[in-house]
Amino acid sequence: MDSWIDLHALWKIVVIGLAAGAGLPALFAIGLRVLAPPRHDAHRVEPGTGTITMAPANVAAASVCFAVVLAAIGYGIYLIVAGS
């Protein structure tokens, strides 16, 4: 073990950095993609209103994705405020 580099701490920083730096934006993008109506689904347009009906499962999945992202943001703000 090198006294200059703590590999255990470095490993934790890399994993958390990848999860927060790439994982949360990817999860947000997945939530947006689940909410986006497919292009070939034009027959699901409500007559007279022009609105597209969404499957409740898609809305629930997107809500879970957004809730996880918001929880991570809130936890990060909590850590910053509690540390000062």
Side-chain angles (χ1 to χ4, degrees):
M1 183 80 172
D2 192 4
S3 63
W4 286 89
I5 300 174
D6 185 2
L7 292 178
H8 183 67
L10 182 63
W11 181 81
K12 289 192 324 189
I13 290 170
V14 168
V15 168
I16 292 173
L18 283 175
L24 289 176
L27 192 61
F28 184 78
I30 289 169
L32 288 179
R33 180 64 187 114
V34 168
L35 282 180
R39 293 181 184 190
H40 61 78
D41 235 0
H43 66 277
R44 288 187 4 190
V45 175
E46 294 288 331
T49 63
T51 60
I52 297 176
T53 58
M54 305 217 42
N58 288 1
V59 175
S63 298
V64 168
C65 290
F66 297 146
V68 169
V69 171
L70 284 175
I73 291 170
Y75 183 65
I77 291 172
Y78 166 76
L79 288 177
I80 291 170
V81 170
S84 60

